Amino acid sequence: MPRSSRSPGNSCGPRKNVARVPKEVRSRRVIQRGRNTCRMTEEALSNTGDTFLLPIRINASGLTQGMLGCMSWISRLACFLRTQAHQVLFNTCRCKLFLCKLMGKTGVLILCAFGFWMFSMHSLSKMDVWQDDSINGPLQRLRMYQEKVQHHAGEIQDLRGDLNQLIAKLQKMEAMSDEQKMAQKIMKMIQGDYTEKPDFALKSIGASIDYEQTSATYNHDKARSYWNWIRLWNYAQPPDVILEPNMTPGNCWAFSGDRGQVTIQLAQKVYLSNLTLQHIPKTISLSGSLDTAPKDFVIYGMEVSPKKEVFLGAFQFQPENIIQMFQLQNHPPRTFGAVKVKISSNWGNPRFTCLYRVRVHGSVTPPREQPN
């Protein structure tokens, strides 16, 4: 049957010149159109997401038109609900996938963090061991070298100071004349008591005279003081004057004749090595001669228990040399606490002999053995 032309896009517009069609055919067409419309609506809903489409107006009359409208609304609502359910399910699945991926990645991250922590702890322990083995050892050696360098630097500074002092002394000695050098040498000898050796027979350090083994002092008239023929005191010097450094004329010990002896208790026991005799020079002698000076004498070392004399040497004093040091001829390997000087002659005076000073030299430690 011929049908009136309508625009397919406007299905709800008014119909013009429509021929009459049987009701059964018309109802089938309406149902087919409703099905096509629902199918198109579902496709549109599935394509456009949550977009809400109003139902299309269907030309029907009466109860059939109302039923078709209700069915159309129900179908639209069902499509809408299904679309929403699909979206909710899709979103839920996507959240689950995201959570699964996140959990998987979180586990990997936790494993990576644990591995990094283990590696860092192991590397720190290795670094400690390496520091202990490869750093502390060289540091200790460097400190030792630094201390040695500082010590040697101090020694070098001391040696440099000593060298500068020696250079200054040499320059002074070069600048001095021969007379100044001689005068300096003489002053040095005077300050060193001429011999520059320790004197163990010095009264000021504890030496004394053993009067029981010493000759009597010579008494002459000029050494006495009288008042109306009454003797008041004696000016004669005692034997211990020979233990003092005073060398003025007349300050000597005199004994009668040309033979006598004196025993000196030393300040301490020593290994004896030398003995020195000293007399005034002839230029300052009141008599102008040296006939009272001792000439030949013998030295003995005295042992206390038992009392025994040990021969140490026999010598002769030359008065022209005011100070003479005598090397002992016998060197027993033991110490002595006393020395006896026995004089057997003088240089011509028959009345008395004078001793000005006697010195005894040695050491408190055993002397080194010398080859013969």
Side-chain angles (χ1 to χ4, degrees), residues 262 272-277 296-302 309-315 326-330 338-343 358-360:
V262 60
L272 300 176
S273 60
N274 306 85
L275 185 136
T276 300
L277 289 183
D296 298 314
F297 62 97
V298 181
I299 302 173
Y300 296 94
M302 305 296 293
E309 297 179 356
V310 180
F311 175 79
L312 299 178
F315 308 96
F326 302 96
Q327 181 75 29
L328 298 182
Q329 299 169 359
N330 185 21
V339 172
K340 178 185 282 187
V341 181
K342 186 178 288 186
I343 299 170
V358 179
R359 310 182 201 184
V360 179

Side-chain angles (χ1 to χ4, degrees), residues 2 9 43 66 83 109 142 145 150 153 156 200 230 245 323 335 339 357:
E43 291 176 0
T83 304
L109 290 174
L142 285 175
Y145 293 149
Q150 291 177 355
I156 291 172
F200 292 94
I230 299 173
I323 300 177
T335 59
V339 172
R357 188 176 179 187

Side-chain angles (χ1 to χ4, degrees), residues 130-318:
W130 180 75
Q131 288 179 356
D132 293 338
D133 295 340
S134 61
I135 295 179
N136 292 335
L139 285 177
Q140 291 179 357
R141 287 194 293 270
L142 285 175
R143 292 192 188 99
M144 291 175 60
Y145 293 149
Q146 186 178 5
E147 292 176 356
K148 289 181 180 180
V149 168
Q150 291 177 355
H151 178 69
H152 291 311
E155 292 182 350
I156 291 172
Q157 291 292 335
D158 296 338
L159 291 175
R160 185 178 296 175
D162 296 339
L163 182 61
N164 292 333
Q165 292 180 0
L166 289 175
I167 292 173
K169 288 182 180 179
L170 288 174
Q171 291 176 353
K172 289 180 180 180
M173 291 179 65
E174 290 177 357
M176 289 191 306
S177 60
D178 295 338
E179 292 80 4
Q180 289 176 341
K181 292 179 183 178
M182 184 62 66
Q184 187 177 10
K185 186 176 180 179
I186 292 171
M187 290 301 297
K188 186 177 180 181
M189 290 179 63
I190 293 173
Q191 291 175 358
D193 206 4
Y194 300 100
T195 60
E196 297 184 350
K197 285 181 177 293
D199 181 12
F200 292 94
L202 196 60
K203 184 178 179 180
S204 60
I205 64 173
S208 61
I209 299 294
D210 185 358
Y211 289 93
E212 293 181 358
Q213 300 186 44
T214 300
S215 301
T217 302
Y218 175 69
N219 294 319
H220 55 91
D221 295 337
K222 293 182 179 180
R224 297 172 184 174
S225 178
Y226 292 90
W227 180 74
N228 292 332
W229 300 96
I230 299 173
R231 189 174 69 179
L232 297 178
W233 56 78
N234 192 354
Y235 284 103
Q237 298 292 343
D240 58 0
V241 74
I242 66 174
L243 308 179
E244 297 176 355
N246 189 0
M247 289 296 298
T248 56
N251 190 37
C252 63
W253 174 64
F255 59 88
S256 231
D258 58 354
R259 292 177 177 270
Q261 65 182 20
V262 60
T263 302
I264 303 171
Q265 293 288 341
L266 303 177
Q268 65 183 94
K269 288 186 176 183
V270 294
Y271 293 91
L272 300 176
S273 60
N274 306 85
L275 185 136
T276 300
L277 289 183
Q278 186 173 356
H279 200 80
I280 60 172
K282 185 177 181 179
T283 54
I284 63 172
S285 175
L286 298 179
S287 62
S289 65
L290 299 175
D291 55 354
T292 60
K295 185 177 181 181
D296 298 314
F297 62 97
V298 181
I299 302 173
Y300 296 94
M302 305 296 293
E303 292 184 349
V304 178
S305 179
K307 290 185 178 181
K308 183 180 178 182
E309 297 179 356
V310 180
F311 175 79
L312 299 178
F315 308 96
Q316 186 179 81
F317 179 76
Q318 300 295 328

Side-chain angles (χ1 to χ4, degrees), residues 97-128:
L97 290 174
F98 177 74
L99 289 175
C100 291
K101 290 182 181 180
L102 182 63
M103 290 297 294
K105 292 181 180 180
T106 304
V108 173
L109 290 174
I110 291 173
L111 290 176
C112 291
F114 181 74
F116 180 75
W117 178 73
M118 291 293 294
F119 176 75
S120 62
M121 293 296 292
H122 185 68
S123 62
L124 285 175
S125 62
K126 289 291 185 181
M127 287 179 66
D128 293 338

Side-chain angles (χ1 to χ4, degrees), residues 38 40-53 75-91:
C38 289
M40 291 173 64
T41 305
E42 289 176 1
E43 291 176 0
L45 286 173
S46 62
N47 292 328
T48 59
D50 295 336
T51 305
F52 183 79
L53 297 177
S75 63
R76 268 65 171 178
L77 182 61
C79 292
F80 175 75
L81 291 175
R82 189 178 63 178
T83 304
Q84 293 296 323
H86 279 293
Q87 288 182 359
V88 170
L89 290 174
F90 177 75
N91 293 332

